[in-house]
Amino acid sequence: MEKFLTECAQSIIDGNAEKSAELARMALDDKHPVLEVINKGFVKGIREVGRLWEEGAMFLPELVMGAEAMKEAMTVLQPVLEEDAAGKSAAGHVVIGTIEGDIHDIGKTLVATMLSANGFEITDLGADVPVVRFVDEAVEKGAGCIAISALLTTTMSGQKKVIEELESRSVRDKISVMVGGAPCNDDWAKEIGADGYAGNAVAAVQLAKRLTGA
Amino acid sequence: MSIIPRVTWFTEEDRKRVVAEAVEILEKIGVFVENDEAIELLSGAGARVDRDKGRVFIPASMVEKAVGSAPSRILVYNRHGEPVMDLGEDRIHFNPGSAALRIYDHKKKKTRTPMTADLVRFSALTDALPNYAAQSTGIVSGDVPEEIGDRYRVYIALQNSVKPVVTGTFLIDAFRVMHEMLATVAGDQGALAEKPMAIFDCCPSPPLKWSDLTCQALIDCARTGLPAELVSMPLTGATSPVTLSGAVVQHAAESLSGVVIHQLAKAGAPIIYGGSPACFDMRKGTTPMGAVETMMIDGAYAEIGKHLGLPTQAYMALSDSKRVDYQAGMESAMGAAVAALSGINNVSGPGMLDFESCQSLEKLVLDHEIAGMALRLTRGIAFRDDPIALPLIEAALEKKEFLSLPHTAKWYREEAYFPNAVIDRSTLEEWESKGGLDATARASERVEKLLSDHEPEPLDDAVRAHLTELMERDAKRYGMDKLPVT
Ligand code: B12
């Protein structure tokens, strides 16, 4: 078992999506405990990928390939997890998008990819997303967190509007808000009453974990 | 006569190949257009449109016609109606980098949000620095509502410098306001069309998409006669192929689609083949402007622009460093040299740090000397006499020096560019006796000196009043009753 788990982790570190999917299927065939395979195998791998990237030992293409391998493995394991109610959505649900009027989506997509690879269920609304849509989707999907990207000084005020919308619908205490993008920083997050800011995709994962208690 | 030193990136055959593949992309893959008016223009001219997907397939003949009708030379004028930018062939011009979110405050040694006073100083300083042919709306002000941030920059720029403005819109309703401001200063809309005082950046979204905002700016420019500047920005391996050549092809396809839309709106209207590509950093996920590969893509696409007979632009002579330091100087100087040797007509970048995010007045003053040297580079080596040197050496034989030759006095100012005091060429003793300041400290002194010595020519009172009225009216719409005091 130990060896199998190490192999699972390694497939993610190698960014080998074929291998990770195969291992996931093997885990099901051999009736290994799914949660253990995820947490002690694949998740360990994606954590290592994040660490290696932060250290500068791994570059973005490998980071994204690791995330893709993770996605493949999870696609295989997800249906079984969902039967097993205790394991549902290991880390929580995040609704993410780039705010209204803003079409910069490269950073947002990277953040979404990394969150997804780290076990978050993701609803990616894309770019140029109206304020109310963030809230509508989050309420409808029962998401615990909204992640808003803004790259323009003219659009960042939209992040604040999302928070106001949450307040006006009295759901602010149920849904945490994280913000990011070039013009944002910690001070801005504080000013608008967001729950946190992160400057890159790996930091965004740590932040999301902190906010959702995952 | 001397030759203008130039670098070449492609063979003629490769240039043709790049353009041919770009044209093929527009025919086969097409472009995504989110602007209804542009879709109408394109379909009216015979392009096939998939309306559900907003995808337009542009035939080669349309591209050819548009490239043919776009002018190869564009003049841009200052407030006095004098042509100060002559864009075309290998003529080089510099202007500061655009739209910084932050300013580096050298006195406080920190990066902070810029305020109106910073915009005023930035514009006045650009006005005082002759190697900058144009100013730019290079800083976004933190003390006005975000919604008017784009036009407010123009409002400040027009008051504090006579130089033309390189700018762009952030919101779709901005163009009308900016155009009205420019027309007020030029006299009226006709005068502005005849002698344009501004250039507007229009950025397609990679890969191959025209958003409503930028497409509208393109059309508005064509209709009003203000030069449009295509700023295609393939990011290698992120929003374009990872190869430099692949990025150049995608850049060409995006830019050509822009030329087509623009020329359909008005044939013959001025358009510049520019860009802001980046060799996407695979370690950090950032868009380094100071990467040598970024500069190579810039030089290469400009060569394609020249091949098409269009004036060119690039975001070069800037840096990703967060401070005015070795990295800042290295990247900016290298970019400026590559730009100059590639014959890029409008080089936007000076002053800029941190991936086009942060302006610095000290760097603006230092980069001015980089620009001066780059401009000198492009003047090449002249043969002023024939024979070249023999009689001069003969004449100097007896004196054993050349300092006293009338020939020396006649030519030394022409031969050399004299950088101002921010570039240190004194002896060690002299440098030490003057305080032993490093370049940034010298630049900081010079910023203050230039700003106290240089009085930008004020706008005519009536024009200024009208300009303020326009700005106030717009500011009120977004909840600001009183503009910051300038
Ligand atoms: C690429 C780019 C574009 C591309 C975007 C393509 C795309 N599909 O996204 C295009 C060409 C479309 C574009 C258009 C424009 N752009 Co632009 N663009 C950039 C550029 C060069 C890089 C942005 C980028 O993708 N970086 C790489 C990614 C990976 O980094 P990132 O986005 O910062 O994301 C990371 C972090 O911030 C964080 N993060 C991001 N989002 C989130 C969200 C959360 C919740 C968290 C926790 C973290 C997080 O994690 C990410 C991964 O590490 C920036 C320069 C800059 N300094 O950012 C200008 C920049 C943002 N653009 C700018 C401008 C002005 C424009 C235009 C208005 C230009 C015009 N006049 O047409 C238009 C805007 C159109 C619109 N309505 O949105 C200005 C903004 C100035 C201002 N005052 O607001 C900038 C700063 C450049 C400049 N100085 O001029 N642009």
Side-chain angles (χ1 to χ4, degrees), chain A residues 53-54 56 58-62 101 103 106 110 128 151-157 161 182-185 188 200, chain B residues 34 101-102 140 146-150 170-171 203 205-206 209 211 235 238-239 280-286 357:
Chain A
W53 181 75
E54 276 188 319
M58 210 176 236
F59 290 10
L60 270 181
E62 289 96 29
I103 57 171
I106 303 167
L110 263 179
D128 194 6
L151 269 282
L152 294 169
T153 43
T154 42
T155 58
M156 60 197 286
S157 55
K161 290 189 192 135
C184 311
N185 55 29
W188 169 249
N200 65 54
Chain B
E34 293 181 340
L101 307 165
R102 299 182 267 273
V140 185
E146 288 88 3
E147 294 91 340
I148 62 167
D150 48 8
F170 300 161
L171 294 171
C203 316
S205 315
K209 188 161 107 184
S211 70
L235 309 175
T239 62
F280 196 72
D281 188 286
M282 291 302 182
R283 295 160 303 177
K284 302 284 179 190
T286 50
S357 295

Side-chain angles (χ1 to χ4, degrees), chain A residues 53 60 96-97 101-108 110-111 146-155 159 178-183 196-204 207, chain B residues 98-102 140 168-171 201-206 211 213-214 231-233 235 239 276 280 284-287 289 352 354-358:
Chain A
W53 181 75
L60 270 181
I96 188 170
D102 202 326
I103 57 171
H104 296 87
D105 64 0
I106 303 167
K108 180 271 301 165
L110 263 179
V111 171
I146 294 180
I148 321 161
S149 184
L151 269 282
L152 294 169
T153 43
T154 42
T155 58
Q159 295 175 327
M178 54 193 236
V179 296
Y197 156 84
N200 65 54
V202 172
L207 174 63
Chain B
S98 79
L101 307 165
R102 299 182 267 273
V140 185
T169 55
F170 300 161
L171 294 171
D201 277 358
C202 306
C203 316
S205 315
S211 70
L213 166 77
T214 54
V231 184
S232 159
M233 42 177 96
L235 309 175
T239 62
S276 185
F280 196 72
K284 302 284 179 190
T286 50
T287 53
M289 307 310 294
M352 201 61 108
D354 190 9
F355 317 102
E356 300 186 3
S357 295
C358 180

